[in-house]
């Protein structure tokens, strides 16, 4: 199952959700977010759901719910603004920015609680084209 990465240069790419135990997965996720990322934050940005139509309802179906992962300490690392992430987070309404690369990932309910996973095919097919448009617009190509 895939996850979506959007860089501070407004480039969009897809990656397979990392395999392995939680430690291995978290290490791979932090590397995708950026070389300075030691701790990532789970964010559920309003526009990901209200504008793009993503689901924010976690269930036992892998990836049927989506969310955003960011560098928790990005502002301390002096990272560049992520235009698309800030738009999704409604920065224009409250002023708190998203910096560094972002990941759009899936979620699933497990016996231990909510885990991150790849995005379901349905959610991916809905969101990727819309995120691609946003990245092109942010690069001035839309």
């Amino acid at each position: 199952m895939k996850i979506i990465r959007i860089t501070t240069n407004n480039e969009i790419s897809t990656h397979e959700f990392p395999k392995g135990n939680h430690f291995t997965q978290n290490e791979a996720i932090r590397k995708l977010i950026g070389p300075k990322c030691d701790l990532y934050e789970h964010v559920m940005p309003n526009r990901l759901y209200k504008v793009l139509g993503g689901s924010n309802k976690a269930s036992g179906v892998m990836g049927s719910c989506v969310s955003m992962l960011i560098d928790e300490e990005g502002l301390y690392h002096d990272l560049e603004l992520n235009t698309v992430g800030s738009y999704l987070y409604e920065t224009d309404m409250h002023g708190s920015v998203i910096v560094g690369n972002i990941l759009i990932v899936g979620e699933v309910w497990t016996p231990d609680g909510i885990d991150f996973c790849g995005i379901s095919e349905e959610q991916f097919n809905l969101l990727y084209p819309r995120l691609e448009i946003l990245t092109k617009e942010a690069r001035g190509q839309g």
Side-chain angles (χ1 to χ4, degrees):
M1 296 177 78
K2 298 204 178 305
I3 58 177
I4 301 168
R5 178 180 188 228
I6 301 174
T7 69
T8 57
N9 293 326
N10 302 305
E11 297 294 332
I12 187 170
S13 58
T14 61
H15 304 267
E16 288 297 321
F17 188 83
K19 296 186 183 331
N21 61 29
H22 280 90
F23 178 82
T24 304
Q25 290 174 344
N26 287 334
E27 186 176 349
I29 287 169
R30 287 192 309 270
K31 284 182 183 179
L32 282 171
I33 292 172
K36 295 180 179 181
C37 182
D38 293 321
L39 180 64
Y40 57 84
E41 179 180 354
H42 173 241
V43 180
M44 297 190 78
N46 278 331
R47 287 185 178 137
L48 182 60
Y49 312 109
K50 293 181 179 178
V51 175
L52 300 187
S55 172
N56 64 355
K57 306 285 189 250
S59 72
V61 178
M62 288 188 71
S64 61
C65 174
V66 293
S67 59
M68 185 166 79
L69 301 179
I70 65 170
D71 187 333
E72 167 74 24
E73 299 172 329
L75 293 173
Y76 298 112
H77 295 153
D78 197 29
L79 300 177
E80 293 181 36
L81 177 73
N82 189 299
T83 306
V84 174
S86 292
Y87 168 77
L88 295 174
Y89 192 57
E90 297 181 332
T91 295
D92 54 303
M93 297 178 80
H94 51 69
S96 296
V97 297
I98 300 294
V99 297
N101 301 326
I102 64 168
L103 298 180
I104 306 297
V105 300
E107 296 183 11
V108 61
W109 274 104
T110 70
D112 295 325
I114 294 178
D115 280 344
F116 298 122
C117 62
I119 303 168
S120 72
E121 186 174 347
E122 177 185 350
Q123 286 292 295
F124 183 87
N125 291 338
L126 171 73
L127 293 173
Y128 187 85
R130 294 173 182 187
L131 289 166
E132 194 171 35
I133 290 168
L134 287 176
T135 59
K136 285 181 180 178
E137 289 173 350
R139 291 191 311 266
Q141 298 174 342

